[in-house]
Amino acid sequence: MATASIEIKVTPEIAAEHGLTAEEYARVKQILGREPNITELGIFSVMWSEHCSYKSSKVHLKRLPTRGKLVVQGPGENAGVVDIGDGLVAAFKIESHNHPSYVEPFQGATTGVGGILRDIFTMGARPVAVLDSLRFGPIIAGKGVREEEAATNRRILDGVIRGIANYGNCFGVPTVGGEVGFEPCYAQNPLVNALALGIARKEDLFFAKARGTGNPVIYVGAKTGRDGIHGASLLASAEFTEESKQKRPNVQVGDPFMEKLLLEACLEAMQTGAVVAIQDMGAAGLTCSTTEMASRGGTGIEIDLAKVPQRESGMTPYEIMLSESQERMLLVAEKGREREVLDLFTKWGLDAVGVGEVTDGGLLRVKDRGKLAAEIPAHPLAEEGPVYRRPIAQPPLRNETPADWFSFSDDGTNLTANFAKLLGSPAIASKRWITEQYDTSVRTNTLAGPGTSDAAVIRIKDPETGIVKRALALSTDGNGRWCQLNPRVGAMHAVAEAARNVAASGARPMAATNCLNFGSPEKPEVMWQFSEVIDGLTVACNELGTPITGGNVSFYNETLGKSIYPTPVIGVLGIMEDASRVLKIGFREEGDVIILLDASHAADRATPAVAQEFSSSEYSKTLGGIVAGEPPAIDLTAEKCLHECLVSLATSGAVRSAHDVSDGGIAVTLAESCFASLVGAQHAAPQLGASVKLEETSPAEYALFGERGARAVVSAAPTSLAHVLETARQCGVVAHQVGQVIRGDAFRIEYKGSAVIDSSVAKLYDAWAHSLERALKTH
């Protein structure tokens, strides 16, 4: 890759090395009216990369619903923003840092967190929470997985978790939730999706739109180095090959302590009124920040690279413009007030230098010691890049028969041992080893952290008065296995599950953000998956009232031609009017009734249809080694009825716990509610178990471990049972008592009169709580 001075002659071959096709290179020359120099070529290559331009996904993303009565800012800015009442807004967004996290797990993950945090405070919002959605290859050898492969996956997992913990803990923002999945397809393509949430007063929002000819452009934050050059255009916009391990220099290096200073300085500067616009230097660095601010504002920007703070000597204009060094921002100040801004950043111990000014004419003009290094029209560069309608082709239909599906055990079979194995599988097992590395309560606003509620819950303090009234709930979800089997239905489930988690915490779902992780867009079958997912998200978000406010597309998640599962990850935000009404998953009191809320109305079905659906479940994969069939059918009207029921029950205080039915079915839901009461008791209160009787006509394994949606388990005092049943009836949800919370160590589920699971809570807890940690610490 060329990184020399502007005297290098650009050729079609060099353009191809930069990831530009012949047609794209011709378009570059048309825009400029001449051949580009090497710096200009580098600028075009990053701005028109898949990662920055969305050139393969734009035509499909337009179908997503992005408007709603509470949406203040939709896609197109650094983060989506929604109105949360009392003059406050919430800014939130999820983004990927997948490719860097494979090349260098620690730095890839840590800079992914840093980048999403900057997106939030660039909007003028103070970050209050981080969540993550992670996918890794198998970490335990066996079943076709060699120990060498499992060891590599464990190393990546360890580096990513340490990276997330390092940045969030040092920066001072709680990591309050998320999810972790394991599938063979992620072995050489881990997914690291980070979500951040921030709070601001509505009038304090900032946008990345340069204005005011002659206004100074100011560089603030860390010095520029050579790390991260072409991270967006080549590392994140191409599949992995055997040479990928040589791309370690393309991964940025993060400094959370620097970012904390940058946060405080930026928010203080915004309050002075001297700042006109602000943009973080994320992907494509100085190139992206200058170009996008000028384009959005309909202006031009001129900068002098000789004034840019640099930590390495001899850097060329090409390197300075394409560097993705972290913890840097670019802002536009009011002319005549620049000294006020510069002094403020100096007070915080940060570099702050005037590097240019806003101009008219719409040009990005880059100088280096008075010599013109690049001159490009900003709007065509930022907004008129290539847009592709990639070929779409549905993959060949899977030719499955009932012989390919899960074969159910005979009725009456004791399934306790199978249940323990399921609880100990990496997908279901406790993620405590991961979450205990995170600071989940810094800033003291966490009402529900990892493993305590179906969603993370953060109380909202008025920035001026400190009064707490409302709370926000957040959940991320995505099931790549289901999307592989049926992309449209799998995507609908991702929205439904995330929204159901929010409702089960007591909050009303209000908006969503998405991170869409896929293989190469140059493959027609991948684009078919992508298009199907977009259609599924559109239907689900419209039906559930959760418009998409922003997000990220990550293509080229494949190695040596093998793609990951299509993995849309959805983050849903909900509002809780009374912060004291948070619902958690743990059973609370001996004698409480256990109630199944079921809006699906789909319990009794023919065995072949049940077997086809069940073959997509976690139980089928773990116990039978089968991944086949179809995801459960989804009824979004039923999901919405369940949401209404859960929120109503939380608001009235009628239930003491709530936990949705999802991975592993109702058996896992019940066990986790027992485990949460054990952990929450801190050895001071009696241990709680459960005695449950289920009645269906389907096979026992389906009744226990089936994963159809629109269901939740709640517990309530016996005196509240009638109120719960009536509330459910009014919401169109079938509800009936299935058991009771009991004192002691027993966990028993009867089905059709037989005890199909009969164990102590302690034994099940041991299988669930320690298996992941054991797998990681015994190797």
Side-chain angles (χ1 to χ4, degrees), residues 242-317:
E242 294 289 357
E243 289 73 38
S244 292
K245 293 181 180 179
Q246 304 305 316
K247 293 183 176 179
R248 192 176 301 263
N250 288 13
V251 177
Q252 309 94 325
V253 178
D255 181 347
F257 299 106
M258 175 75 76
E259 180 133 328
K260 172 63 173 174
L261 297 175
L262 191 60
L263 160 73
E264 300 299 344
C266 285
L267 292 182
E268 185 175 340
M270 292 171 181
Q271 290 298 311
T272 66
V275 177
V276 173
I278 187 167
Q279 172 75 41
D280 80 295
M281 297 189 217
L286 192 54
T287 287
C288 188
S289 56
T290 51
T291 302
E292 290 189 351
M293 279 209 297
S295 177
R296 289 171 181 163
T299 67
I301 282 182
E302 180 176 311
I303 60 172
D304 186 347
L305 299 182
K307 298 178 181 179
V308 172
Q310 300 165 44
R311 68 169 183 264
E312 299 184 48
S313 61
M315 292 188 70
T316 66

Side-chain angles (χ1 to χ4, degrees), residues 585-588 672-682 686-689:
I585 68 173
F587 291 143
R588 296 260 303 277
E672 288 178 341
S673 294
C674 291
F675 301 158
S677 66
L678 176 65
V679 173
Q682 295 179 341
Q687 185 170 304
L688 299 177

Side-chain angles (χ1 to χ4, degrees), residues 538-563:
T538 298
V539 171
C541 288
N542 276 326
E543 183 68 27
L544 299 180
T546 53
I548 299 291
T549 61
N552 173 237
V553 176
S554 177
F555 277 130
Y556 294 102
N557 290 286
E558 58 180 69
T559 299
L560 302 177
K562 184 178 180 181
S563 299

Side-chain angles (χ1 to χ4, degrees), residues 436-645:
E436 70 183 1
Q437 297 185 52
Y438 303 152
D439 189 332
T440 61
S441 57
V442 63
R443 300 190 63 80
T444 68
N445 291 319
T446 305
L447 297 178
T452 61
S453 176
D454 276 348
V457 183
I458 299 291
R459 63 180 179 176
I460 306 168
K461 285 183 179 178
D462 186 288
E464 294 180 358
T465 66
I467 294 174
V468 176
K469 182 165 66 173
R470 296 183 176 90
L472 292 176
L474 265 170
S475 177
T476 61
D477 195 79
N479 190 320
R481 184 172 67 254
W482 282 0
C483 288
Q484 177 73 8
L485 296 170
N486 189 321
R488 184 184 297 232
V489 174
M492 294 165 72
H493 273 291
V495 179
E497 164 76 359
R500 193 186 323 132
N501 286 337
V502 166
S505 74
R508 188 176 301 280
M510 61 188 298
T513 180
N514 60 13
C515 196
L516 309 179
N517 307 276
F518 287 80
S520 170
E522 298 167 37
K523 294 182 176 179
E525 62 272 23
V526 171
M527 287 312 299
W528 176 81
Q529 293 172 336
F530 187 81
S531 180
E532 287 290 293
V533 162
I534 293 296
D535 287 341
L537 296 179
T538 298
V539 171
C541 288
N542 276 326
E543 183 68 27
L544 299 180
T546 53
I548 299 291
T549 61
N552 173 237
V553 176
S554 177
F555 277 130
Y556 294 102
N557 290 286
E558 58 180 69
T559 299
L560 302 177
K562 184 178 180 181
S563 299
I564 63 165
Y565 288 159
T567 312
V569 173
I570 309 302
V572 169
L573 178 70
I575 185 77
M576 191 179 299
E577 293 298 328
D578 184 348
S580 69
R581 295 297 189 181
V582 180
L583 287 178
K584 297 186 178 182
I585 68 173
F587 291 143
R588 296 260 303 277
E589 298 288 343
E590 174 193 358
D592 280 356
V593 292
I594 300 172
I595 305 158
L596 173 62
L597 304 176
D598 188 351
S600 69
H601 311 294
D604 300 324
R605 300 167 58 205
T607 298
V610 166
Q612 183 182 28
E613 174 191 310
F614 193 75
S615 296
S616 70
S617 69
E618 194 65 44
Y619 185 93
S620 174
K621 173 193 160 191
T622 301
L623 275 299
I626 295 171
V627 176
E630 287 284 321
I634 187 165
D635 183 340
L636 293 169
T637 300
E639 293 284 358
K640 199 164 186 178
C641 289
L642 181 64
H643 297 173
E644 191 62 39
C645 181

